[in-house]
């Protein structure tokens, strides 16, 4: 008799975005003349940089000629892209990562979700609360948790991120083996200093733990002294895996290209407590289950690192951050406490009331859509997330409406 994986039955249906869509459509029906402005979007809204489009076109043409056609490529990604990544994203910032420690993939979502597969089922997992839900659900699927109770899964250590700790998780006092960190954070928008990351690296070294570091939003960091990579911190190579993505950096959410870094010294342990290197294990997993990112897409990603590409990406990010500044200014004027918005496209606002109530009131009074924080975990239940992924004009009009309604 074929049986299902019983752990899938523990998963909670995610109603967040379908609930939001249902409430918007209900509102639109009742208020056909009100234009909706969506500040709940977690997706790029600007077109791909021109340099990426040019490189993609050229690569597509190459595929149309027998002489330059390419079939299966290396599962880990083409050297032309891995070498650019190593040079620009790591060496240029003093972090030593070699091209063969970089695994090009079709998304940080897949990689943060899949990485746990090469770790033992008994692994004790720690996640921040609020959290990007992929970290939790993939461990539920793997059977590492108990049932869902009072908003949380049993056997997961949740690290609250609240106003009291500046939305930065405290070191867990429970025994943990695997720690998920995300900076700049989704949803809180907080960035980490080198000191903060050092604290986690020391903890992982002392406790024989592993850090999965999600840096999908590093391109939004505006303070050059803040680390963009965990490998800017000494000692991280042994204890951290890093996930990066071209999705938010260069608008590749629909184009799909990302990468995962597994340094050669990065270790876990076997049942006798002897170290085992993760690089060969991930290489095995990646090349068994994945057949590489499309050649034209990798050429487009490579173009991000060209002189023109760098300028164009910076201009797009600067525009998003102008939106973030506009939102922050309005929140300051209205007296709301918030995190994020300085090195992140997300602004995490303390709504001082139930997040769904605030969502409903905001929609009713202004036609502006936010994301209720409850969708990211119990610690988000009185917060909302505002997103800078939109045009400046829309953001400005949304802020004017909010000021009129709530000011
Ligand atoms: N990590 C975080 C924290 C995210 O918020 C997202 C997307 O919203 C991703 C990863 C997904 O990245 P990708 O598009 O590369 O799968």
């Amino acid at each position: 008799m074929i049986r299902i994986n019983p752990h899938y039955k523990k998963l909670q249906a995610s109603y967040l975005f379908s609930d939001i869509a249902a409430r918007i459509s209900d509102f639109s029906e009742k208020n056909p003349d009100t234009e909706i402005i969506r500040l709940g979007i977690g997706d790029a809204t600007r077109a791909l940089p021109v340099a990426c489009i040019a490189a993609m076109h050229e690569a597509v043409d190459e595929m149309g000629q027998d002489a330059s056609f390419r079939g299966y490529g290396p599962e880990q990604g083409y050297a032309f892209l891995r070498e650019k990544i190593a040079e620009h994203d790591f060496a240029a910032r003093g972090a030593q990562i070699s091209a063969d420690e970089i695994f090009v993939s079709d998304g940080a979502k897949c990689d943060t979700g899949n990485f746990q597969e090469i770790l033992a089922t008994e692994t004790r997992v720690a996640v921040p609360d609020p959290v990007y839900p992929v970290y939790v659900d993939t461990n539920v699927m793997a059977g590492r948790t108990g049932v869902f109770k009072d908003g949380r899964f049993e056997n997961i250590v949740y690290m609250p991120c609240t106003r009291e700790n500046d939305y930065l998780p405290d070191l867990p006092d429970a025994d943990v083996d695997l720690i998920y960190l995300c900076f700049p954070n989704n949803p809180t928008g907080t960035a980490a200093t080198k000191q903060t990351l050092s604290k986690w690296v020391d903890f992982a070294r002392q406790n024989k733990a592993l850090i999965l570091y999600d840096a999908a939003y590093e391109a939004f960091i505006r303070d050059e002294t803040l680390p963009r990579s965990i490998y800017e911190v000494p000692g991280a190579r042994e204890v951290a895996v890093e996930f990066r993505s071209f999705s938010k950096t260069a608008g590749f959410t629909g184009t799909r290209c990302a990468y995962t870094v597994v340094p050669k010294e990065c270790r876990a342990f076997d049942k006798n407590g002897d170290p085992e290197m993760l690089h060969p294990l991930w290489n095995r997993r990646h090349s068994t289950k994945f057949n590489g990112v499309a050649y034209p897409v990798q050429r487009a990603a490579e173009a991000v690192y060209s002189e023109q590409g760098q300028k164009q990406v910076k201009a797009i990010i600067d525009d998003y951050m102008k939106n973030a500044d506009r939102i922050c200014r309005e929140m300051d004027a209205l007296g709301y406490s918030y995190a994020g918005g300085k090195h992140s496209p997300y602004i995490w606002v303390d709504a001082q009331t139930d997040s769904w109530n605030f969502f409903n009131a905001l929609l009713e009074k202004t036609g502006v859509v936010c994301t209720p924080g409850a969708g990211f975990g119990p610690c988000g239940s009185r917060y909302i997330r505002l997103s800078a992924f939109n045009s400046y004009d829309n953001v400005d009009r949304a802020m004017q409406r909010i000021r009129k309604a709530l000011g």
Side-chain angles (χ1 to χ4, degrees), residues 96-375:
Q96 291 317 311
I97 293 295
S98 60
D100 61 355
E101 294 173 320
I102 293 161
F103 295 82
V104 175
S105 78
D106 60 353
K109 181 180 191 175
C110 328
D111 286 354
T112 54
N114 290 330
F115 203 85
Q116 48 75 33
E117 250 187 72
I118 63 167
L119 304 169
T121 308
E122 300 73 35
T123 299
R124 291 157 301 186
V125 177
V127 296
D129 174 9
V131 66
Y132 177 55
V134 174
Y135 313 152
V136 174
D137 285 357
T138 48
N139 280 291
V140 174
M141 292 169 178
R144 293 201 182 87
T145 72
V147 294
F148 190 73
K149 229 161 108 184
D150 303 327
R152 289 177 163 181
F153 284 97
E154 287 173 346
N155 302 347
I156 284 201
V157 173
Y158 289 86
M159 303 180 288
C161 298
T162 60
R163 204 166 159 178
E164 287 65 44
N165 59 11
D166 290 329
Y167 307 95
L168 294 169
D170 296 320
L171 295 177
D173 41 26
D175 249 357
V176 300
D177 310 307
L178 182 65
I179 302 148
Y180 288 82
L181 294 177
C182 172
F183 292 114
N185 189 264
N186 178 15
T188 68
T190 44
T193 59
K194 276 196 186 156
Q195 213 180 2
T196 298
L197 294 188
S198 285
K199 183 180 80 172
W200 284 101
V201 166
D202 291 347
F203 177 87
R205 295 175 75 89
Q206 280 154 18
N207 293 278
K208 296 189 166 175
L210 178 71
I211 297 168
L212 296 187
Y213 189 73
D214 186 343
Y217 294 93
E218 60 77 29
F220 294 85
I221 293 175
R222 287 190 286 184
D223 178 345
E224 277 305 304
T225 66
L226 292 175
R228 287 170 179 255
S229 164
I230 196 163
Y231 305 117
E232 290 177 44
V233 167
R237 283 180 57 87
E238 289 85 356
V239 297
V241 167
E242 182 164 305
F243 304 94
R244 294 273 191 108
S245 175
F246 294 94
S247 282
K248 308 298 160 74
T249 305
F252 275 53
T253 46
T255 306
R256 312 304 306 146
C257 198
Y259 66 87
T260 289
V261 183
V262 189
K264 301 250 176 68
E265 297 92 311
C266 190
R267 88 294 174 255
F269 298 87
D270 67 14
K271 63 179 181 344
N272 302 318
D274 293 326
E276 278 275 352
M277 295 305 134
L278 291 174
H279 187 278
L281 292 186
W282 183 247
N283 191 39
R284 185 62 201 254
R285 192 267 170 215
H286 191 75
S287 48
T288 301
K289 294 197 176 182
F290 186 65
N291 240 346
V293 171
Y295 171 68
V297 170
Q298 291 195 57
R299 281 293 185 199
E302 181 194 22
V304 165
Y305 299 103
S306 66
E307 207 183 319
Q308 286 307 312
Q310 290 282 285
K311 273 192 203 144
Q312 292 159 10
V313 162
K314 185 175 178 309
I316 294 171
I317 300 268
D318 284 351
D319 283 349
Y320 286 136
M321 293 312 288
K322 265 184 220 145
N323 299 345
D325 287 341
R326 176 72 183 89
I327 297 171
C328 289
R329 276 204 311 279
E330 200 62 47
M331 294 303 112
D332 285 334
L334 292 170
Y336 280 100
S337 162
Y338 61 90
K342 304 287 181 265
H343 308 290
S344 156
Y346 298 129
I347 295 96
W348 185 242
V349 183
D350 184 351
Q352 293 162 22
T353 177
D354 173 80
S355 64
W356 275 111
N357 287 346
F358 192 90
F359 170 93
N360 287 330
L362 194 67
L363 183 61
E364 286 296 326
K365 289 182 191 162
T366 66
V368 173
V369 178
C370 63
T371 309

Side-chain angles (χ1 to χ4, degrees), residues 8-25:
Y8 274 63
K9 300 292 258 187
K10 296 176 196 160
L11 292 166
Q12 301 300 297
S14 174
Y15 294 121
L16 181 66
F17 291 103
S18 55
D19 274 3
I20 291 175
R23 290 181 199 215
I24 294 174
S25 99

